[in-house]
Amino acid sequence: KITMLKYKHISLYIAEAIKRLYERDSLLFEASVHEICINHRLAIYLEQLIPDYFYPYTEDLSVDIEFNRTPIDTHTMSQMKIVFESDMEPKQIRPDIILHHRGDPLSKVLWLEVKIGSDPYICTKDIHKANFCCNYFKYEFAASILINHPQRRVRLWVMNGSKPIEEYEYGYENGVMLPYYECTNAEIEPYPLLIMTDKNGKDRIAVF
């Protein structure tokens, strides 16, 4: 298990991966491809950057998208559902991207949720979902990401399930990601996360 990671370290890692996304895959944004396509490319760059940000754990970590299994663990994410107040039906829980050790249930480093757009409000549900799932599935960190491609900006909300959420904003200028904003105790609008049901049909209640 990786220990002693910092929120800022996670934000820099994600920002650098999005920098590569801006540099190499701008045509995908202009073509308005599905978010999963963007996530795939972002996952590639996150994996490429593992040696720079997670040495000496390089050989132990992998980046996966839409990962719906936790090997050895008793939880099967594809069978766990989450109910939001505004939803008619339960939603299956599945992270957009994760950084983890595929064969070690104790090595869960980062749960990521990704949105493409400019309005941070669209990330509200993701922030609460990521924070809750980070705690429930025992990830070290989680993050909600908002990629604003036309403005070449990215907003990140980094969390670990128990401490205050930190917010960061970076802007891509002249080939580098510049820090625009940092808040160590971000005020996040409440979103009612009501029921989580595990594969045995047991409800887990969490109200924000």
Side-chain angles (χ1 to χ4, degrees), residues 3 6 13-14 29 44 53 60 62 64-65 83 86 101 111 113 153 156 160 169 180 204:
T3 58
K6 304 295 184 183
Y13 168 58
I14 295 171
F29 290 99
I44 289 174
Y53 286 86
D60 296 330
S62 299
D64 290 303
I65 68 169
V83 176
S86 60
H101 187 295
W111 174 301
E113 297 293 331
R153 293 196 179 191
L156 312 171
N160 76 351
E169 183 175 2
Y180 284 173
R204 314 282 182 174

Side-chain angles (χ1 to χ4, degrees), residues 9-25 29 38-50 52-54 63 97 110 112 145 147 154 156 170 172 177:
H9 180 91
I10 296 295
S11 76
L12 291 170
Y13 168 58
I14 295 171
E16 181 62 25
I18 294 175
K19 169 180 173 288
R20 296 189 181 190
L21 189 67
Y22 285 152
E23 292 174 341
R24 305 176 190 182
D25 296 299
F29 290 99
I38 299 294
N39 292 347
H40 165 66
R41 298 303 304 171
L42 179 58
I44 289 174
Y45 302 134
L46 288 167
E47 191 157 77
Q48 289 176 354
L49 289 165
I50 287 174
D52 295 335
Y53 286 86
F54 297 98
V63 177
I97 304 173
L110 183 61
L112 297 175
I145 309 168
I147 302 175
V154 56
L156 312 171
Y170 295 89
Y172 178 76
M177 291 294 277

Side-chain angles (χ1 to χ4, degrees), residues 12-205:
L12 291 170
Y13 168 58
I14 295 171
E16 181 62 25
I18 294 175
K19 169 180 173 288
R20 296 189 181 190
L21 189 67
Y22 285 152
E23 292 174 341
R24 305 176 190 182
D25 296 299
S26 290
L27 288 177
L28 295 180
F29 290 99
E30 294 166 11
S32 299
V33 299
H34 194 282
E35 187 178 280
I36 293 176
C37 184
I38 299 294
N39 292 347
H40 165 66
R41 298 303 304 171
L42 179 58
I44 289 174
Y45 302 134
L46 288 167
E47 191 157 77
Q48 289 176 354
L49 289 165
I50 287 174
D52 295 335
Y53 286 86
F54 297 98
Y55 180 84
Y57 303 96
T58 301
E59 296 182 0
D60 296 330
L61 295 175
S62 299
V63 177
D64 290 303
I65 68 169
E66 304 292 323
F67 193 84
N68 65 348
R69 292 291 186 273
T70 51
I72 306 175
D73 202 336
T74 57
H75 301 301
T76 304
M77 278 190 277
S78 64
Q79 295 176 333
M80 300 187 71
K81 296 181 178 180
I82 199 166
V83 176
F84 295 96
E85 186 179 54
S86 60
D87 294 327
M88 297 298 294
E89 298 292 337
K91 304 295 184 182
Q92 290 186 340
I93 294 176
R94 190 170 57 204
D96 288 338
I97 304 173
I98 56 172
L99 171 65
H100 67 143
H101 187 295
R102 289 174 180 155
D104 182 358
L106 297 179
S107 184
K108 301 174 185 176
V109 182
L110 183 61
W111 174 301
L112 297 175
E113 297 293 331
V114 183
K115 283 287 186 291
I116 311 299
S118 58
D119 184 357
Y121 177 77
I122 65 175
C123 292
T124 303
K125 185 191 296 186
D126 276 357
I127 293 169
H128 289 292
K129 172 189 172 184
N131 201 38
F132 179 71
C133 291
C134 177
N135 183 59
Y136 189 83
F137 291 112
K138 308 304 180 185
Y139 278 75
E140 292 191 58
F141 287 94
S144 177
I145 309 168
L146 179 64
I147 302 175
N148 183 346
H149 178 257
Q151 298 295 322
R152 296 296 180 97
R153 293 196 179 191
V154 56
R155 291 182 71 167
L156 312 171
W157 293 266
V158 182
M159 60 211 82
N160 76 351
S162 60
K163 295 181 180 179
I165 296 171
E166 297 195 358
E167 183 178 353
Y168 301 87
E169 183 175 2
Y170 295 89
Y172 178 76
E173 295 182 19
N174 301 317
V176 297
M177 291 294 277
L178 299 176
Y180 284 173
Y181 176 77
E182 179 177 333
C183 177
T184 58
N185 191 359
E187 294 185 5
I188 306 301
E189 183 176 341
Y191 196 99
L193 174 62
L194 299 178
I195 304 173
M196 186 173 181
T197 306
D198 66 21
K199 63 180 180 179
N200 297 315
K202 295 181 180 179
D203 291 343
R204 314 282 182 174
I205 305 301

